[in-house]
Amino acid sequence: MSDVSRNIAVLGTGTMGAPIARNLMRAGYRVRVWNRTTAKAAELAAEGAHLASSPAAASAGADVVITMLSDGAAVEEVMTGPAGALSTLSSDAVWIQMSTVGVESCTRLVDLAGRNGVVFVDAPVSGSTAPAAAGELVVLAAGARPVRSRVEPIFEVLGRRTLWLERAGDGSRLKLALNNWLAVLVEGMAETLTLSDALGIDPEWFLDAVTGGPMASDYAMSKGAAMLGADFTPGFPLRLAVKDAELVSYAAHQLGVELALTKALLPRWHDAVAGGHGDDDVSSAVTAPATTTSAARRAMTAGA
């Protein structure tokens, strides 16, 4: 382990930040943690992390700061101001930004880091809580070549693969493409199970028919099983999936690209969130009120 990256501050210890911090501690890093809801960070303190009272306290003396927060506004708030991490972060430190923030927010954060003389690495990840806990994320990294050797040992702890990209912000751009694919897979599965039920066949027959074939993806199949079992234990909360789909839709609009599928699913997913499923897994999109078949009614009843 390199001495220049031994002390790491993790800002945001929710569903993704917590397993990231745990894996870093297991690998021998000295980890400081901060979270807006202190109780979530306190669990990590009991496991050996240093619990900081503010982002500034967490980043003081840190060689690397990792932000894993809900959106760009949250990242900017945590990094700026008297209690923000940038107020105490040294000029030779590295800021690894792993949140999904979209293209415009990433551009602002790159500029913010530059104005404060901090090296910035745009590194959102592909994978939810289970891959995070297992250290099997895919890191979508974009940063200057000289900094790569400093952060690669960290990425090796957190992920099974690091994909290095060219321009600052390319990690965030690729993350939008991946999350758009996730969204249409989930919605496609929800609608297909609904159609199967409406046709009068057991939706499980559909899953059985595609299992092991070219139309099956492990992710879609796992979400289909979750939908049929109404098991909405959060791996990727629906409210965050909605946020990401909105970022995708906004970026597409700015570029003059029509994403008909994403545009169509967003109102339904908003309905599912309004129905109380915001903190449930993205598979709870099947409960959208517009889905009125018995399969959806069973899922809504079981998930209530």
Side-chain angles (χ1 to χ4, degrees):
M1 182 188 306
S2 172
D3 290 337
V4 297
S5 60
R6 188 176 293 275
N7 301 302
I8 301 179
V10 178
L11 307 181
T13 57
T15 56
M16 296 295 287
I20 282 173
R22 286 191 179 95
N23 285 336
L24 291 170
M25 286 190 288
R26 289 171 186 153
Y29 289 94
R30 292 191 289 267
V31 177
R32 303 176 185 184
V33 294
W34 175 88
N35 195 72
R36 194 179 306 277
T37 304
T38 306
K40 292 181 179 180
E43 295 175 5
L44 292 165
E47 300 172 29
H50 173 78
L51 179 60
S53 59
S54 68
S59 65
D63 304 305
V64 173
V65 167
I66 294 174
T67 47
M68 179 55 90
L69 298 153
S70 59
D71 55 33
V75 174
E76 194 164 351
E77 180 181 351
V78 162
M79 296 301 292
T80 58
L86 287 171
S87 66
T88 58
L89 197 60
S90 67
S91 59
D92 62 348
V94 177
W95 171 12
I96 302 176
Q97 205 306 104
M98 306 192 87
S99 320
T100 302
V101 299
V103 177
E104 286 198 354
S105 283
C106 183
T107 300
R108 288 197 300 271
L109 297 176
V110 169
D111 180 65
L112 178 63
R115 286 187 278 112
N116 285 270
V118 174
V119 176
F120 183 89
V121 179
D122 173 35
V125 297
S126 178
S128 56
T129 53
E136 294 182 352
L137 297 167
V138 176
V139 182
L140 314 173
R145 291 188 180 276
V147 77
R148 295 184 182 186
S149 61
R150 291 183 63 182
V151 299
E152 279 178 339
I154 295 171
F155 293 159
E156 287 171 2
V157 169
L158 304 181
R160 61 179 175 83
R161 181 186 179 201
T162 299
L163 179 59
W164 280 105
L165 306 164
E166 293 300 320
R167 300 172 296 168
D170 277 353
S172 289
R173 293 181 181 93
L174 182 54
K175 183 62 188 293
L176 289 187
L178 290 173
N179 277 19
N180 186 66
W181 181 236
L182 177 154
V184 298
L185 280 176
V186 170
E187 180 64 13
M189 178 59 72
E191 293 185 17
T192 302
L193 294 180
T194 297
L195 173 64
S196 299
D197 192 50
L199 289 169
I201 61 173
D202 189 334
E204 290 189 9
W205 293 355
F206 165 74
L207 292 183
D208 188 38
V210 298
T211 295
M215 290 189 293
S217 84
D218 290 343
Y219 185 82
M221 297 297 285
S222 69
K223 294 308 173 186
M227 290 174 187
L228 290 182
D231 179 5
F232 304 139
T233 304
F236 181 29
L238 181 61
R239 61 182 173 80
L240 295 183
V242 168
K243 180 264 297 183
D244 290 354
E246 288 174 336
L247 288 174
V248 167
S249 185
Y250 178 77
H253 176 74
Q254 294 297 103
L255 295 167
V257 174
E258 177 68 22
L259 298 180
L261 297 178
T262 309
K263 183 178 180 179
L265 69 83
L266 267 169
R268 290 173 31 77
W269 287 23
H270 277 294
D271 286 345
V273 170
H277 292 283
D279 289 322
D280 290 338
D281 186 69
V282 65
S283 56
S284 65
V286 75
T287 66
T291 306
T292 56
T293 66
S294 58
R297 288 195 294 271
R298 287 196 300 271
M300 284 189 277
T301 301

